Amino acid sequence: DARVTQTPRHKVTEMGQEVTMRCQPILGHNTVFWYRQTMMQGLELLAYFRNRAPLDDSGMPKDRFSAEMPDATLATLKIQPSEPRDSAVYFCASGRGTGSSYEQYFGPGTRLTVT
Amino acid sequence: TQLLEQSPQFLSIQEGENLTVYCNSSSVFSSLQWYRQEPGEGPVLLVTVVTGGEVKKLKRLTFQFGDARKDSSLHITAAQPGDTGLYLCAGASDAGNMLTFGGGTRLMVKP
C-alpha cells in the first residue's frame, strides 16, 4: 500500500532555530505539494513541484522558508529562522499530475511547535 | 482567485441522523474532490467528481457535483461515530494541478 511518508512527525524547537521537514512522495508520482494547516487558516498551499521543478511557491514566506526536491524520492521544507507563528501542521502530498480529475495523496504531517 | 466555501463549518449530530455538507464557489472547476481528515492524520481522498450533475455513492455517502461545476454536496445517511472528522472539498482548475481547498466542515457524530 503506497503512502507518502513524512519525518519527523513532531518537532518542538525554540524561536530562531532551523527546522527541516522531509517528505518521500509515492513512487511514480511526479508532483509534490507542501501545505500548512492551522485552525484559523485551514489548509494553505506553500509550494508545488512538478518533475522536481518548483512551479509555484507564492504561498510561502520567501525570507525564511525554502522548499527543494534534491531527487525524485525526497522533498524538503526548511524554515530558517523559525518563529512562533510558524507553529502548525505541515503536510506533504503527491500525485500523478495528469488529467482533469487530478488527485493528491497526503502524508501524515509534521506537527511543528516553535516556542 | 478561486474560493470554495463550505457550510456548515461545524456539525454535531446523533448517531443515525442524516446530514448534508455544502461546497460552493463562483468559479467553475474541472473536477472536485472530497477528503476526510481524522485527528493526527492527513486528509484522505474519498471521491472525485468530474462531470456536471454527476452523483457518486460510497456506502452511506452520496456526492453530487453541480450542473455548472461550481458547487458540490456530500450527504451522509444514518451517520455513525466513525464518520466523525473534518470533511474538505477541493476544486481543480483546467490551468494546472493545484487544488483550491474549502475551509472544511468539522463533523462530530455522537453515539
Side-chain angles (χ1 to χ4, degrees), chain A residues 9 37 48 50 100 102-103, chain B residues 31 33 35 37 40 42 48 97:
Chain A
R9 290 295 310 273
Q37 187 177 43
Y48 161 37
R50 183 190 297 165
S100 61
Y102 180 71
E103 297 165 350
Chain B
S31 67
Q33 299 163 20
Y35 293 80
Q37 184 179 15
T48 299
N97 302 132

Side-chain angles (χ1 to χ4, degrees), chain A residues 3-23:
Chain A
R3 297 186 183 189
V4 174
T5 59
Q6 289 185 248
T7 57
R9 290 295 310 273
H10 302 273
K11 176 72 176 179
V12 180
T13 191
E14 293 183 347
M15 182 173 66
Q17 295 298 306
E18 177 178 300
V19 175
T20 299
M21 291 169 270
R22 294 176 174 81
C23 166

Side-chain angles (χ1 to χ4, degrees), chain A residues 56-100:
Chain A
D56 190 313
D57 62 0
S58 58
M60 199 164 66
K62 302 293 191 303
D63 57 336
R64 300 183 299 108
F65 284 59
S66 61
E68 296 179 346
M69 278 202 75
D71 62 63
T73 64
L74 177 65
T76 62
L77 180 65
K78 190 174 295 186
I79 308 175
Q80 167 64 19
S82 58
E83 297 180 2
R85 60 179 167 155
D86 300 329
S87 297
V89 182
Y90 291 81
F91 288 104
C92 173
S94 71
R96 291 189 184 88
T98 58
S100 61

Side-chain angles (χ1 to χ4, degrees), chain B residues 24-55:
Chain B
N24 295 298
S25 175
S26 57
S27 302
V28 176
F29 293 99
S30 60
S31 67
L32 196 135
Q33 299 163 20
W34 284 92
Y35 293 80
R36 179 169 66 211
Q37 184 179 15
E38 299 185 16
E41 300 296 329
V44 175
L45 180 67
L46 295 174
V47 77
T48 299
V49 285
V50 179
T51 307
E54 182 177 3
V55 176

Side-chain angles (χ1 to χ4, degrees), chain B residues 5-73:
Chain B
E5 293 189 1
Q6 285 188 239
S7 61
Q9 288 184 298
F10 301 95
L11 192 55
S12 181
I13 61 173
Q14 293 296 132
E15 182 176 2
E17 292 184 9
N18 302 332
L19 68 116
T20 302
V21 175
Y22 299 94
C23 178
N24 295 298
S25 175
S26 57
S27 302
V28 176
F29 293 99
S30 60
S31 67
L32 196 135
Q33 299 163 20
W34 284 92
Y35 293 80
R36 179 169 66 211
Q37 184 179 15
E38 299 185 16
E41 300 296 329
V44 175
L45 180 67
L46 295 174
V47 77
T48 299
V49 285
V50 179
T51 307
E54 182 177 3
V55 176
K56 281 191 174 179
K57 292 194 175 187
L58 186 66
K59 296 184 181 178
R60 294 175 293 101
L61 278 60
T62 301
F63 305 86
Q64 185 163 8
F65 202 9
D67 291 340
R69 293 187 291 144
K70 293 182 179 180
D71 53 82
S72 181
S73 64

